């Protein structure tokens, strides 16, 4: 099976054309990037606002609780609801994008909120003491200090979106999930295994790129620039633990929502 898998991937005929690996990879990246951009537009400003003002904290708990809803069920629900009112590829692209955005928003919102909320109050007081406005405090003090947790949320959301974007193929879209669905449907198991392997490799590469980006953006004094890329997992685990600890307490006394 392993030999058949790599033989299938190495076959040049499987890399060209509309059904080729390259085109499916580009489609997968398009779905993922579109969802991440929309999720960042929604979650980043909202998380900064909640962390800066302390208002609407219940939204962080609510969005995390929404993660318990099955993604596949949401996909079919939105496809059946929105599909008949849309035309062409939008009938499939819009439902898939909505589901991926809903998947990406909770970690982005929680990381951004926790990062801003965790800023030392003394730093805020000092900034206001030198005459900074609320916007200046947010932009020049809180956001730079919050970057480790913000980037932790970005990395978590990006990996979840890339891995889950395969379900777009179940409602007629492309992407690497098409290799999985078609491979299983036609009994071409090397193709299905190749699709799974390519998604895993893409996720690993994305994690490495985001780790490098985090090292460039985060000040070394905040813990985001120490060590090699492969050795930054302790910092990420600590950031994730701090984000979870600072999330609002929901019903039952548990922090945040379901993970």
């Amino acid at each position: 099976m392993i030999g058949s898998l790599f033989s299938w991937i190495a076959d040049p005929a499987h890399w060209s054309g509309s059904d080729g690996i390259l085109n499916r990879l580009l489609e997968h990246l398009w779905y993922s990037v579109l969802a991440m951009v929309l999720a960042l537009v929604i979650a980043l400003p909202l998380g900064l606002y909640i962390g800066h003002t302390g208002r609407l904290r219940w939204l962080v708990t609510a969005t995390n609780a929404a993660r318990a809803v099955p993604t596949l069920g949401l996909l079919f629900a939105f496809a059946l609801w929105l599909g008949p009112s849309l035309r062409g590829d939008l009938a499939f692209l819009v439902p898939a994008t909505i589901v991926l955005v809903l998947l990406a928003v909770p970690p982005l919102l929680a990381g951004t909120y926790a990062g801003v909320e965790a800023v030392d109050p003394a730093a805020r007081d000092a900034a206001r003491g030198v005459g900074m406005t609320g916007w200046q405090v947010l932009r020049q003090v809180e956001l730079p200090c919050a970057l480790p947790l913000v980037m932790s949320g970005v990395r978590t959301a990006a990996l979840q979106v890339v891995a889950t974007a395969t379900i777009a193929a179940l409602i007629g879209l492309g992407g690497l999930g098409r290799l999985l669905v078609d491979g299983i449907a036609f009994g071409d198991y090397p193709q299905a295994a190749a699709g799974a392997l390519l998604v895993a490799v893409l996720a690993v590469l994305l994690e490495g790129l985001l780790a490098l980006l985090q090292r460039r953006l985060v000040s070394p004094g905040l813990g985001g620039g120490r060590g090699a890329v492969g050795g930054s997992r302790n910092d990420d685990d600590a950031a994730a633990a701090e984000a979870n600890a600072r999330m609002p307490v929901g019903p039952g006394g548990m922090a945040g929502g379901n993970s």
Side-chain angles (χ1 to χ4, degrees):
M1 181 63 185
I2 300 298
S4 300
L5 164 63
F6 287 106
S7 296
W8 193 94
I9 294 177
D11 188 346
H14 295 151
W15 285 83
S16 59
S18 60
D19 294 329
I21 294 175
L22 183 58
N23 186 59
R24 295 306 185 194
L25 176 61
L26 293 176
E27 290 174 341
H28 200 95
L29 289 173
W30 161 240
Y31 304 149
S32 301
V33 170
L34 176 62
M36 280 299 298
V37 169
L38 293 175
L40 282 168
V41 169
I42 296 170
L44 189 59
L46 189 57
L48 292 174
Y49 174 80
I50 296 173
H52 180 70
T53 64
R55 302 172 183 171
L56 301 178
R57 292 181 180 180
W58 59 270
L59 275 177
V60 183
T61 301
T63 55
N64 276 275
R67 296 169 68 180
V69 180
T71 304
L72 190 58
L74 274 180
L75 176 65
F76 285 116
F78 280 118
L80 293 173
W81 177 36
L82 299 175
S85 60
L86 298 172
R87 296 182 179 179
D89 291 341
L90 287 179
F92 309 106
L93 180 61
V94 171
T97 302
I98 291 175
V99 169
L100 293 177
V101 168
L102 292 176
L103 181 69
V105 164
L108 290 172
L109 183 60
T112 305
Y113 155 75
V116 175
E117 201 271 341
V119 174
D120 189 348
R124 293 191 182 96
D125 294 339
R128 293 190 179 99
V130 298
M132 284 188 178
T133 63
W135 166 249
Q136 290 174 326
V137 172
L138 176 62
R139 183 172 59 88
Q140 300 181 28
V141 178
E142 292 177 333
L143 181 56
C145 291
L147 273 180
L149 286 178
V150 173
M151 287 302 302
S152 178
V154 169
R155 291 167 69 173
T156 300
L159 291 180
Q160 290 180 349
V161 167
V162 166
T164 310
T166 54
I167 65 174
L170 295 174
I171 59 171
L173 290 176
L176 294 175
R178 191 81 261 158
L179 302 179
L180 284 163
V181 172
D182 291 347
I184 294 175
F186 296 107
D188 190 350
Y189 297 112
Q191 177 181 341
L197 178 62
L198 290 170
V199 172
V201 171
L202 180 61
V204 171
L205 292 176
L206 179 62
E207 169 68 12
L209 289 174
L210 290 176
L212 288 174
L213 178 62
Q214 180 171 345
R215 291 185 62 189
R216 294 296 300 269
L217 293 179
V218 178
S219 170
L222 295 175
R226 297 193 301 270
V229 171
S232 63
R233 178 57 59 188
N234 290 337
D235 292 338
D236 294 337
D237 291 343
E242 183 176 353
N244 187 62
R246 291 183 174 275
M247 287 168 55
V249 177
M254 295 184 65
N258 297 321
S259 58

